[in-house]
Amino acid sequence: MSTKLFSPLALRAVTLRNRIAVSPMCQYSAHSGYADDWHLVHYGSRAVGGAGLILVEATAVRPEGRITPDDLGLWDDGHIPKLRRIASFIEAQGCAAGIQLAHAGRKGSISSEWKGGGRYLPAQDGGWRTVGPSAIPFSDEMPAPRALTAQEVRLVACDFAGAARRAAEAGFRVIEIHAAHGYLLHEFLSPLSNNRTDEYGGSFENRVRLLLETVEGVRNAIPDSLPLLVRISATDWADGGWDVDQSVKLAGLLQQRGVDLIDVSGGGLVPYAVIPAEPGYQVPFAARIRKETGLRTGAVGLITEAAQAEAILEAGDADLILMGRELLRDPYFPLHAAARLYEDVKWPVQYARAKMKRN
């Protein structure tokens, strides 16, 4: 049987074996930005499980760009060897290795989920002074970030470009820029977190300037053969914030600058957002961007069933399905989904006995 979900997707010189991607999900298990064996086994399991693309979690382009002290980093060449091992193993399983580059902005310097439940960490507890477009705190529990100077803002694009060069050197064949979920690049996009009066604030053109400069820097830092993705929050789910109309306009600008696919998520900028979470609730955003710009899109948001994913692709609402929590619960979801959709299931040869009927 021929399905959309298990058809290949060509992005520049990279062809994904199917349309299932492992969404970037922080593991909070790094040490000074360095990956360890947990990351190798975690991502390796999902490559063995049949995904077409793995996007390694938000990887900081600067030490103060981490969400927590336990985040991965690519601000130093020393981070490359351990990540190269992971990328190499992913690719050896027939899966494309990708990585998401990020700067947490005002939402950084917090504790990992199992080390205090996301509380702000002052310097004496291993934290750092956060930065943002403006001195507007994320919440009452977080301090106001230091507003970046115009010169510092321009250096952000350089940081992303440097990390992208290292990612390519480490063997990653897909690069994603994280401009969603209330982190630094998203903070510049939204008027709820950006009240600057210089060339990086105010008008739509000014608020998108940093992201466009970052895309241009990264595109120039990596081989032309490598696909470039951008993750956005299509809406802040809050009055007066970033919205879908602006996202469509932004998508066209990203396409002009060499972005190959836009990973369409939502929310994360403000804690008071009202998000109507239900299965596939963010798919319409991906569908509208795809329809109005022609740019390929990735759909996310409570997509948990093979038939649901297939229906999204069949409807032309997206080109790629990015899954998060379901792939935490079941690393072999792609293999199980293939069976449910009556596709040929290609288990690893080491697991050939899994094909045998149970007694």
Side-chain angles (χ1 to χ4, degrees):
M1 180 177 178
S2 178
T3 61
K4 288 281 190 179
L5 191 60
F6 288 93
S7 64
L9 176 64
L11 299 169
R12 295 191 183 242
V14 177
T15 299
L16 310 184
R17 61 185 173 188
N18 59 52
R19 308 296 181 101
I20 301 173
V22 178
S23 199
M25 293 176 285
C26 290
Q27 298 299 295
Y28 305 119
S29 299
H31 309 279
S32 300
Y34 289 88
D36 66 11
D37 288 348
W38 173 266
H39 300 92
L40 175 65
V41 174
H42 169 72
Y43 292 112
S45 296
R46 282 140 191 91
V48 169
L53 168 66
I54 288 177
L55 288 170
V56 168
E57 65 203 77
T59 302
V61 300
R62 292 185 65 84
E64 61 270 28
R66 292 173 292 173
I67 304 168
T68 78
D70 307 310
D71 287 17
L72 284 178
L74 251 180
W75 62 80
D76 188 273
D77 288 354
H79 292 128
I80 294 173
K82 288 181 179 294
L83 287 171
R84 181 184 288 125
R85 184 182 179 210
I86 294 168
S88 177
F89 186 85
I90 291 171
E91 290 283 338
Q93 312 314 308
C95 179
I99 191 167
Q100 184 187 72
L101 305 178
H103 190 305
R106 68 179 187 174
K107 291 180 71 176
S109 192
I110 64 172
S111 60
S112 295
E113 293 179 11
W114 50 85
K115 295 181 181 179
R119 63 180 176 84
Y120 174 72
L121 294 174
Q124 62 267 29
D125 293 335
W128 52 88
R129 178 74 186 276
T130 58
V131 297
S134 305
I136 303 172
F138 170 68
S139 68
D140 293 340
E141 291 73 38
M142 298 279 284
R146 180 179 65 81
L148 292 165
T149 66
Q151 181 178 3
E152 289 173 326
V153 173
R154 286 186 281 272
L155 289 175
V156 169
C158 296
D159 290 333
F160 274 87
R165 174 190 61 78
R166 296 183 190 99
E169 186 176 340
F172 290 99
R173 295 197 298 142
V174 178
I175 308 297
E176 179 171 271
I177 295 171
H178 196 357
H181 301 165
Y183 299 121
L184 186 65
L185 295 177
H186 182 187
E187 291 164 20
F188 273 87
L189 296 177
S190 178
L192 296 179
S193 49
N194 181 352
N195 63 9
R196 299 176 73 96
T197 57
D198 63 4
E199 67 267 38
Y200 292 100
S203 67
F204 169 86
E205 290 74 18
N206 284 353
R207 287 182 281 112
V208 302
R209 189 183 305 277
L210 174 57
L211 176 54
L212 297 183
E213 290 176 350
T214 298
V215 166
E216 291 169 355
V218 169
R219 185 71 270 175
N220 290 331
I222 61 177
D224 189 60
S225 59
L226 300 190
L228 177 59
L229 282 54
V230 174
R231 170 166 273 194
I232 67 165
S233 283
T235 175
D236 290 339
W237 297 106
D239 291 341
W242 183 260
D243 57 26
V244 185
D245 290 340
Q246 294 176 86
S247 292
V248 172
K249 190 175 178 180
L250 172 64
L253 297 173
L254 295 175
Q255 187 175 32
Q256 293 170 15
R257 288 160 174 78
V259 170
D260 301 288
L261 183 145
I262 189 163
D263 174 359
V264 188
S265 188
L269 185 86
V270 291
Y272 54 83
V274 180
I275 302 176
E278 60 183 13
Y281 69 105
Q282 297 185 124
V283 174
F285 305 143
R288 181 177 167 190
I289 289 172
R290 187 177 189 268
K291 179 180 179 180
E292 295 189 22
T293 69
L295 180 60
R296 286 170 166 160
T297 61
V300 309
L302 294 181
I303 302 171
T304 61
E305 302 289 341
Q308 176 193 15
E310 177 68 11
I312 291 167
L313 297 172
E314 284 285 354
D317 291 340
D319 301 275
L320 185 68
I321 303 296
L322 293 107
M323 304 180 72
R325 290 177 177 85
E326 187 61 27
L327 283 168
L328 289 181
R329 291 186 285 263
D330 180 8
Y332 303 101
F333 174 87
L335 294 173
H336 296 147
R340 293 185 188 105
L341 296 175
Y342 302 101
E343 287 279 353
D344 182 26
V345 182
K346 295 181 174 63
W347 284 89
V349 293
Q350 296 89 339
Y351 294 168
R353 61 176 58 89
K355 301 177 184 178
M356 298 171 60
K357 293 182 179 179
R358 294 175 181 171
N359 293 330

